[in-house]
Amino acid sequence: MTDLQNLLYEKFGYRNFRPGQENVIRSVLQGKDTIAILPTGTGKSLCYQLPSYLLNGITIVISPLVSLMEDQSSSMRRNGEKRVAALNSFLSFQDKNRILSQIHLYKFIFVSPEMLLQRKVEERLKQLKLSLIVVDEAHCISQWGFDFRPDYLRIGEILGRNRPPVLALTATADLKVIDDITKYLHMEMPVMERHSLDRPNITYVVEQMASDEKTAWIESRLEQTAGPGIIYVASRKRADELASILSRKGFSAAAYHAGKEQVDRSLIQEQYIRGEVEWICATNAFGMGIHKDNIRQIIHEHLPNTMASYIQEVGRAGRDGKPACAVLLYAPEDENITRFIIQNDMPDRNSVLHYTEWLQAGKSLTDAAAMAGMSETAQRVVDFYLSQMPVEEVCTSLDELRKNKEIDLQKMLEIVHSQVCIRKKILNAFGERYDDSRKQCCSICGLTEMDWLWKVASTEPQRKMTYAWEERIDVLLGI
Amino acid sequence: MELSSLILFMVSKMNGERSKNACLHIFRGKKSSQTLQDVQYFNLKPFFSVLSKLDAETYETHLYRLLADGYVKEADGRLYVSKTGLQKVKELDSCYFNGWDYRGNEIVFFHRLALAIQTISYFKEGIKSFMPIQTDREVQLFVKGMARHLPLENKEFPRKIGGELKNALQASGMKDRQKLIIVSRLSGFSITGRTWDQLAEELQMSPLSVYLEFIEGLHRLLDVIHEERDYPFLLQAAEGVKSSLYLTDSADQTRRLFAKGMNVEEIATVRRLKLSTIEDHFVEMAINDKTFPLTDFVLSKQVNEVVLKVEELGTRRLRMLKQEFGELSYFQLRLILGSKLGGGK
Ligand SMILES: Nc1ncnc2c1ncn2[C@@H]1O[C@H](COP(=O)(O)OP(=O)(O)OP(=O)(O)O)[C@@H](O)[C@H]1O
Ligand SMILES: [Mg+2]
Ligand SMILES: [Zn+2]
């Protein structure tokens, strides 16, 4: 056994590394910038946690979602690592100051990109001895950075020249995204550990139907096939609506989206992980980083914007290695709905020109944006570009972006209309080859030997146990 | 309990005096002088800050329902209650909010309680690290501090806490449904709390109504915790939750020094203020704070005698009372009047 393996067992209780982990860890320990592209659920978090114990300094983890950050930091605390702090914009002023003043006492600091950009945080971090900088879900630099997280694009600038090695982690990156990661994080000849993003135990299914048939399809699917599962929908409103339809029919279902208060989100997640709720109707707020090992099905009621987000969401399934199924429901009008959603927020040439004119006329940023009819998100993107290049180039870049989004959408549509193996299409979309054939592959290759999916006898939905209030206290406290 | 009923009640109090957003500001606990005056003047303190996150859209939906049903009328931008509305107000179930005292802090109390219960529940099973239902670090640190003084390893401890919680809920006089709502929001080792949506479905109510009953229940519970001294664990979780904002700033500083264990004279010295000023602060505290420890200053026998005398004489005039109770100082008399009878003359 190697020393690393010993440490793996000692700190995490695992005997063996999963494919890719050890290479990534060694590269990090050698002080090299590293990009690790490992499929969803392989254990990318361990790729920075383990080497951190061998480096004497602080590890910074830049993470795109607050919920993801909270999850990771509390699960580390639960596993006995108490020197973890999470800095995000949801912290109260006092909390933030308390953490910042004691920051040298921590070993792992999770931070959101917008926090990193705050002068106070930046200065404090500069005084520390950093040994590793991790960018989790690094594809966001490309996928979201342009979109509504321009902050991600500035990480490289903030880190400056004199910095420790950077480790970028993601499950989904094609060559273009890898380029962006390298460029925006100012990485120098990064070591690349790239594994196929294929998840062999996931079966892909596309079902074509009319929009108004989807609810009924989902109902009968839940009746006949195995959970637990996640049903991804396009909006918060739809998540609430579908969850209440399903629970009224006696299914164990709940809604999850960013509009719910924090406690309710934790409750749903906890109920789901414990198996007290079987189906979650969710927006894309429930996804990245969520870890429950026995999810059997992912159903998409709408067409996701990009292949990357589709893979992320589908990647929640089958993390125990057992078979799982991903179904995409498609109605012809979905194409235009999704196109509208993704193009709607993109400022066009005219509004950019108006915006800069208003600015020159002395208007404030917000006023100018309002008058040019740009959303806040759009404004942030445009501001970022304007700080980097002349107006004309900004317009060209935005046109370029719009084209890219359309290309992303086309790739999703290719899957929907595919006449050949869906798995092949997906892998090709990320620049991977796939010429295999296997059982339980996809709805094109054929869905034989899927017995595991069907319920043996259609089980009566269980009526939830209800307690009187006094009983509930007894159960809570184990008396 | 419906939001529209609360709005109707509030409109009936402010009848024609205020525009339609006045209620919204009160629900949200807006700290503008207008709103603060409104709640005092129209006796709407109980509703202050009861729904701090109420959005304008929800508020308007409920208001329009009242307008459509003819219970409320709008004229010149002001809201009036109609005849049928007035009738309806009389039929409303009574409710018992105490928003003025708690100002949204009841939620802080509940978050602490929830995390403390979760901790006790897991410790009972010998599990010392778990996914906390509360991610707020402020709450986590508070409960950590609390837990340091709790006998978590004691086998009988969970039973004791369970008993205390049951008694307090019982004593609060809330409906059984409210007790269930409150208890259902708690999580433990073998059971996870229910979301608002789930409770709404189970109880066949709107999520907002569930939430209002929850808040009202918490206000009742907190009042009981503060008034009676039988709930040490709950009182600990309620630390600092009761607003002291109704004290003047100066009185509040005095209160804090008193809480640290200083007596009247010491506080006067430290603050370099006249003794009489500090005494005024204590009287202010006695009037406003139901937990004011009156018996630190007078015997409870004396308190009873004074209260009886006031009833007998039908007066609160200090001079007259002083003649009756020569052994008590003016300061002591004022404290008794303040604490028991809301002040003297
Ligand atoms: N070497 C290992 N052996 C066994 N289990 C492991 C190993 N490494 C990690 N795991 C476990 O795998 C699970 C998934 O890990 P993790 O959440 O880090 O995945 P991820 O690659 O970040 O996935 P995602 O792309 O969805 O974020 C965790 O429960 C983790 O403890
Ligand atoms: Mg991850
Ligand atoms: Zn196939």
Side-chain angles (χ1 to χ4, degrees), chain B residues 172-237:
Chain B
S172 71
M174 69 177 90
K175 286 183 276 192
D176 276 357
R177 184 168 71 194
Q178 289 174 289
K179 296 174 195 152
L180 182 64
I181 292 173
I182 290 179
V183 171
S184 298
R185 292 289 293 176
L186 300 171
S187 299
F189 171 77
S190 56
I191 192 165
T192 315
R194 313 294 290 159
T195 65
W196 299 119
D197 288 347
Q198 289 168 337
L199 286 169
E201 202 211 65
E202 283 155 20
L203 299 168
Q204 299 289 306
M205 299 161 67
S206 75
L208 188 58
S209 295
V210 174
Y211 188 72
L212 282 170
E213 297 214 338
F214 171 75
I215 296 293
E216 202 235 21
L218 286 183
H219 287 179
R220 285 176 185 270
L221 182 63
L222 280 164
D223 276 359
V224 168
I225 294 170
H226 283 105
E227 275 161 31
E228 295 164 26
R229 295 251 140 190
D230 309 331
Y231 313 108
F233 167 74
L234 293 171
L235 189 61
Q236 222 183 325

Side-chain angles (χ1 to χ4, degrees), chain A residues 168-196:
Chain A
L169 299 170
T170 177
T172 47
D174 57 15
L175 289 176
K176 192 178 148 309
V177 175
I178 293 174
D179 253 13
D180 283 342
I181 292 176
T182 319
K183 179 165 131 207
Y184 288 110
L185 293 180
H186 299 198
M187 290 176 123
E188 282 159 28
M189 304 213 293
V191 172
M192 184 89 69
E193 180 72 19
R194 188 172 187 193
H195 288 236
S196 167

Side-chain angles (χ1 to χ4, degrees), chain A residues 74 78 95 98 247 260-264 267-268 271 274 276 464 467 469 472 474-478, chain B residues 121-122 124 129 131 134-135 138 141 166 179 184-185 187-189 192-194 196-198 201:
Chain A
S74 44
R78 202 180 32 183
D95 263 1
R98 186 175 40 74
S247 358
K260 302 256 177 231
E261 68 170 77
Q262 179 267 321
V263 175
D264 275 23
L267 288 176
I268 292 287
Q271 290 176 4
R274 289 167 166 232
E276 293 171 7
K464 280 157 250 146
Y467 296 105
W469 68 273
R472 201 170 164 109
D474 292 343
V475 175
L476 269 171
L477 293 167
Chain B
S121 169
Y122 274 84
K124 171 121 204 297
S129 72
M131 193 65 98
Q134 278 307 320
T135 52
E138 201 80 45
L141 290 175
K166 282 182 200 170
K179 296 174 195 152
S184 298
R185 292 289 293 176
S187 299
F189 171 77
T192 315
R194 313 294 290 159
W196 299 119
D197 288 347
Q198 289 168 337
E201 202 211 65

Side-chain angles (χ1 to χ4, degrees), chain A residues 41 43-45 48 68 72 136-137 169 288-290 316 319:
Chain A
K44 287 185 284 293
S45 318
Y48 62 82
L68 182 59
Q72 300 250 334
D136 200 7
E137 309 290 356
L169 299 170
M288 256 192 270
I290 298 252
R316 301 309 108 203
R319 285 161 90 102

Side-chain angles (χ1 to χ4, degrees), chain A residues 404-462:
Chain A
N404 281 335
K405 290 199 160 197
E406 181 60 28
I407 293 172
D408 276 343
L409 177 59
Q410 289 303 330
K411 283 186 182 161
M412 276 313 299
L413 288 167
E414 271 184 45
I415 294 190
V416 170
H417 298 299
S418 178
Q419 304 294 320
V420 300
C421 175
I422 296 171
R423 185 180 309 274
K424 182 180 166 72
K425 279 272 178 201
I426 293 177
L427 293 175
N428 289 349
F430 287 95
E432 282 185 41
R433 291 187 54 143
Y434 177 81
D435 300 307
D436 251 7
S437 73
R438 54 172 95 107
K439 294 197 167 119
Q440 306 186 15
C441 172
C442 70
S443 49
I444 299 291
C445 300
L447 300 171
T448 49
E449 299 186 23
M450 297 273 288
D451 297 346
W452 64 268
L453 181 65
W454 304 94
K455 286 183 184 165
V456 188
S458 118
T459 40
E460 268 297 293
Q462 276 181 3

Side-chain angles (χ1 to χ4, degrees), chain A residues 14 16 18 21 40-45 137 291 316 319:
Chain A
Y14 302 130
N16 295 300
R18 296 241 179 97
Q21 283 179 329
T40 48
T42 21
K44 287 185 284 293
S45 318
E137 309 290 356
H291 185 80
R316 301 309 108 203
R319 285 161 90 102

